[in-house]
Amino acid sequence: MKKNENVEVIVLEAGADGGFIQNYPEITLQDMQDIVGGFIEFIYLGDDVMVVNEEGLLLNKPYNHLANEFIKKKSPQMSEHTFIVGDVFIIKNKDLK
């Protein structure tokens, strides 16, 4: 990543009708945990990485329709066995350090 280039993430909140873009000079572990509301887990989807709350199901986080639809489009086989809850964000694999 070049200097002065922001890291762009797409935030998909549970219960929302659409996502929004958020930019960071660099994204830290604390930033990631703040977005998802706890410990993080990565779901690799080609060039994209979805970052979710690792304990989302245990914490009874609400179903995230947008995140599940994104996975269905990126990896139909994975979507059959994946149930995403809580707020998530999508980042390009190259932007993870």
Side-chain angles (χ1 to χ4, degrees), residues 2 8-9 16 24 28 32 34 37 40 43 45 47 49 69-70 74 83 85 97:
K2 298 175 187 172
E8 182 177 278
V9 303
Y24 294 87
T28 65
M32 292 184 213
D34 289 345
I40 61 170
I43 300 174
L45 302 162
D47 292 340
V49 179
E69 286 299 312
F70 185 85
K74 292 291 279 189
F83 187 81
V85 298
K97 292 183 181 182

Side-chain angles (χ1 to χ4, degrees), residues 16-73:
D17 292 331
F20 62 91
I21 295 173
Q22 196 159 341
N23 289 291
Y24 294 87
E26 67 176 348
I27 192 158
T28 65
L29 175 61
Q30 187 63 54
D31 293 330
M32 292 184 213
Q33 290 175 329
D34 289 345
I35 295 170
V36 303
F39 296 115
I40 61 170
E41 181 177 351
F42 298 133
I43 300 174
Y44 292 92
L45 302 162
D47 292 340
D48 297 315
V49 179
M50 182 178 289
V51 183
V52 303
N53 184 317
E54 180 180 50
E55 299 178 316
L57 288 172
L58 295 172
L59 297 171
N60 293 316
K61 297 280 186 177
Y63 180 78
N64 190 321
H65 173 74
L66 295 171
N68 284 283
E69 286 299 312
F70 185 85
I71 287 180
K72 188 184 290 185
K73 288 180 183 171

